[in-house]
Amino acid sequence: MELRRISLYLALFAMAVCLQCSDAHTMRRRGTDDADYDDALMGDEATDDETQNDADGGNEAEEEDTPPETIVTLPTSYNVTVGRTIRLECKVSPNNGPVIEWHKNGHRLFMGGVKYPDLEKIENSERLTVTNTSHDLFIADVRASDSGTYRCQVMQFEPVMIEHQVSVQEAPRIIRFTASDDGTVVEGSDLLLTCDVAGSPPPQIIWSRENSAGNVRLQESDAVFTLNTAFIKNIHRDQAGKYYCYVFNGLGNTQAERTVKVLHKPHVQVHKTVVNSALGVEAILQCSTHGEPEPAITWYKDGFIIDGASTQFVITREGLHSNLTVTPKEDQDFGTFTCEARNSHGKHNKSIELVQRPVVEGVELEGNKLSWRVHSHQPLQQLELQLRDTEGTVTTVNVPVPETKGHEYEVIYVLDNVNPGKYEVVVKAKNNKDWSRESEPIVVDYEAMPMPIQTASVYHGNAHSIRPASSVVLSTVFMYLLVRMF
Ligand SMILES: *[C@@H]1O[C@H](CO)[C@@H](O)[C@H](O)[C@H]1NC(C)=O
Ligand SMILES: *[C@@H]1O[C@H](CO)[C@@H](O)[C@H](O)[C@H]1NC(C)=O
Ligand SMILES: *[C@@H]1O[C@H](CO)[C@@H](O)[C@H](O)[C@H]1NC(C)=O
Ligand SMILES: *[C@@H]1O[C@H](CO)[C@@H](O)[C@H](O)[C@H]1NC(C)=O
């Protein structure tokens, strides 16, 4: 017993070192009947009180005089939302002015109204108070960091204590959402997105990207994720767009967005590579570009920059698109027009030929039906189709020129009476200026013709019947056998 008493004295003495002497003294005066405690605190065995108690014969007598305090309050779990004030109760009985210590997660905060140094480590520690009318701990303006285990302990010979759990609930908040290089990265470099969040329970993050491909959630294959970052290695222009950090916990959700630009050299596309026109007929040459930063667009005619002064050329621009409107006044106004896009990362161009000769487009073969279009502002004089076999023998077919109201001719020609074999088919057209270029050859293979074809027939109720090659079957076979070449 004596040994235990001495060790308690030592422990309490050590504690006293961190307290102001004056505070301790006040306490001693207030709690004269809690002699054990006071003496321990002061380490002063020679006080009158102590002498008297010792004379009474020690512990047993003392415990009879002052029955030990018990804590009436039951351990409680407090769920509290951020910003509120909570009162952690610690009701003591018989409450003969005991000294109460409050701890948080094992660190001492208060002894009575006196503060321990550990208290200062709490954010805005003045929010925590213990009143001298009760022993309860008040926490005002609760923050997420206030979550933890709080212990109320009565300082007496046989200490008693209870523990409360405080769980602070906070709807998620995004503190900041940042992108490396301020969201403007060069293609091929890396992008780091950081989404700093607050909330309790800790919110979860979902990353997504929105661009012309839609709004898609980032997958493990797109980025490397940590708790609050997404890392995209070797970024591609397709990965530019609006990035979203969406955060949620049981109390709510919120999101933030960041635009990411991927710098890259421009790319040019033209609507048509050859355009037919005639003297005095307006032609619109259309050019679209991509590029980050937005490229400058320059038009050239036969390698020379077109300036704004010329009346037969008008340049318009809307965002990434540019039109060059040409109204040729003389033959020299036809030629090669080049659309060039340029930015800090490079340049790219595509050319459009403006011609008076016919332009053949959209050649298609469906079954044995060949169709194409011809543009010509001058009336067409001749239409020709050529079949070139593997020996190089050319069979020329004159195709009748169809009627047209404008300058576009729709031509359909059915290939029949053709000997079995493999052919390249090209078409061309002539107006009073010149012949068009030949169309890209289409390869036609008649080798398998006109063999009878075995089909699974549903018409005759006999899956093994052999039908002769009818025209229906023939066109189907054509579709399989004809290979388009570019
Ligand atoms: C406190 O919150 C936790 C987690 O959100 C929950 O499991 C528990 O039931 C809540 N307790 C009370 C008393 O609301
Ligand atoms: C609480 O203590 C402070 C000083 O420690 C004192 O000024 C105040 O009057 C006390 N309040 C009550 C209700 O005892
Ligand atoms: C277009 O690009 C090609 C290839 O880079 C270049 O040789 C040519 O000079 C360019 N044309 C114009 C008009 O810039
Ligand atoms: C270019 O011409 C097309 C066809 O007339 C038109 O739809 C488009 O708006 C024009 N674009 C510009 C930039 O002028």
Side-chain angles (χ1 to χ4, degrees):
M1 203 62 178
E2 202 54 34
L3 209 63
R4 265 180 66 190
R5 187 184 169 100
I6 287 166
S7 54
L8 178 69
Y9 275 17
L10 280 173
L12 292 176
F13 177 75
M15 196 171 68
V17 175
C18 43
L19 293 172
Q20 301 272 321
C21 268
S22 57
D23 286 343
H25 199 71
T26 315
M27 224 174 288
R28 180 178 176 246
R29 286 292 140 250
R30 203 177 62 218
T32 38
D33 41 18
D34 200 359
D36 270 358
Y37 177 73
D38 269 358
D39 288 345
L41 196 65
M42 299 307 293
D44 180 1
E45 303 237 7
T47 58
D48 295 346
D49 295 344
E50 179 68 12
T51 318
Q52 242 169 344
N53 280 343
D54 279 354
D56 286 347
N59 290 342
E60 291 76 15
E62 173 186 307
E63 274 159 21
E64 273 162 30
D65 290 349
T66 55
E69 300 281 1
T70 57
I71 298 176
V72 185
T73 304
L74 295 172
T76 310
S77 280
Y78 294 85
N79 273 0
V80 58
T81 47
V82 159
R84 307 293 288 271
T85 296
I86 42 168
R87 173 189 193 138
L88 306 185
E89 198 187 81
C90 191
K91 200 173 266 174
V92 178
S93 174
N95 198 11
N96 294 317
V99 172
I100 300 296
E101 233 183 35
W102 278 99
H103 298 225
K104 178 191 176 189
N105 299 337
H107 298 282
R108 293 184 189 129
L109 304 179
F110 290 98
M111 177 194 279
V114 180
K115 296 169 177 177
Y116 277 108
D118 271 356
L119 179 69
E120 303 302 325
K121 292 178 185 158
I122 291 177
E123 259 185 288
N124 292 46
S125 63
E126 70 280 359
R127 296 180 299 114
L128 277 67
T129 48
V130 178
T131 56
N132 46 9
T133 48
S134 72
H135 304 296
D136 301 344
L137 173 66
F138 284 80
I139 308 176
D141 184 19
V142 162
R143 302 164 180 217
S145 59
D146 291 331
S147 294
T149 303
Y150 290 78
R151 186 201 297 164
C152 168
Q153 184 168 335
V154 179
M155 304 304 288
Q156 60 185 2
F157 180 69
E158 297 280 1
V160 287
M161 64 178 80
I162 53 156
E163 283 188 343
H164 295 311
Q165 298 297 331
V166 172
S167 148
V168 179
Q169 316 275 298
E170 186 182 13
R173 266 185 306 128
I174 295 174
I175 299 164
R176 73 185 87 75
F177 180 26
T178 57
S180 54
D181 298 309
D182 210 18
T184 302
V185 292
V186 179
E187 190 168 44
S189 64
D190 303 333
L191 172 71
L192 177 69
L193 298 167
T194 307
C195 194
D196 286 329
V197 298
S200 186
Q204 279 180 275
I205 301 181
I206 289 178
W207 300 90
S208 69
R209 171 180 59 228
E210 187 177 11
N211 59 20
S212 53
N215 192 337
V216 291
R217 183 172 173 176
L218 297 192
Q219 308 287 334
E220 301 290 334
S221 54
D222 302 314
V224 177
F225 304 101
T226 69
L227 208 56
N228 67 335
T229 67
F231 181 71
I232 298 174
K233 223 178 150 46
N234 190 11
I235 196 164
H236 187 258
R237 64 192 68 175
D238 295 347
Q239 291 168 308
K242 221 182 251 176
Y243 280 81
Y244 291 92
C245 165
Y246 173 86
V247 299
F248 64 98
N249 65 12
L251 285 93
N253 60 71
T254 183
Q255 68 177 28
E257 60 184 59
R258 233 359 287 207
T259 297
V260 169
K261 291 181 174 175
V262 178
L263 303 175
H264 63 274
K265 72 173 250 194
H267 184 78
V268 173
Q269 281 172 305
V270 291
H271 191 230
K272 291 182 172 180
T273 52
V274 191
V275 173
N276 167 273
S277 189
L279 291 176
V281 176
E282 180 186 277
I284 299 174
L285 311 184
Q286 298 183 49
C287 173
S288 299
T289 66
H290 296 281
E292 191 70 59
E294 190 173 282
I297 300 176
T298 311
W299 283 93
Y300 296 80
K301 174 169 189 304
D302 300 324
F304 295 98
I305 290 187
I306 296 171
D307 59 31
S310 46
T311 52
Q312 66 269 51
F313 305 121
V314 177
I315 296 171
T316 55
R317 179 166 183 175
E318 266 166 35
L320 292 166
H321 304 279
S322 179
N323 284 358
L324 173 65
T325 305
V326 185
T327 310
K329 296 204 173 86
E330 46 188 344
D331 284 351
Q332 293 96 290
D333 291 341
F334 295 87
T336 301
F337 293 84
T338 304
C339 173
E340 181 196 69
R342 180 193 289 263
N343 70 13
S344 45
H345 292 261
K347 57 182 182 176
H348 184 231
N349 73 54
K350 282 267 171 76
S351 292
I352 304 169
E353 275 185 276
L354 183 64
V355 296
Q356 302 193 72
R357 62 172 195 259
V359 174
V360 175
E361 276 183 357
V363 185
E364 275 179 18
L365 187 65
E366 203 187 331
N368 56 351
K369 194 178 87 181
L370 194 64
S371 64
W372 67 97
R373 292 189 304 275
V374 182
H375 289 270
S376 177
H377 281 86
Q378 314 282 356
L380 280 192
Q381 296 175 339
Q382 213 177 325
L383 275 172
E384 224 176 72
L385 182 147
Q386 291 184 347
L387 292 166
R388 226 166 280 163
D389 69 15
T390 41
E391 267 101 64
T393 313
V394 176
T395 311
T396 301
V397 181
N398 266 302
V399 178
V401 175
E403 292 287 313
T404 184
K405 291 202 183 75
H407 58 275
E408 187 171 309
Y409 298 79
E410 300 273 356
V411 192
I412 294 172
Y413 187 77
V414 178
L415 293 167
D416 48 14
N417 303 319
V418 178
N419 293 328
K422 204 171 180 178
Y423 299 95
E424 274 186 3
V425 182
V426 298
V427 295
K428 53 185 195 172
K430 184 179 180 292
N431 64 14
N432 64 347
K433 284 289 169 189
D434 204 350
W435 276 103
S436 70
R437 298 264 165 83
E438 282 181 0
S439 62
E440 291 289 329
I442 290 185
V443 174
V444 186
D445 194 344
Y446 284 84
E447 261 163 7
M449 299 297 295
M451 296 283 287
I453 305 295
Q454 181 178 344
T455 56
S457 169
V458 292
Y459 306 106
H460 300 148
N462 178 358
H464 302 289
S465 73
I466 297 193
R467 292 207 298 157
S470 69
S471 62
V472 178
V473 177
L474 279 191
S475 62
T476 317
V477 172
F478 264 113
M479 303 238 271
Y480 283 108
L481 297 181
L482 305 179
V483 183
R484 281 196 69 164
M485 292 203 21
F486 294 94

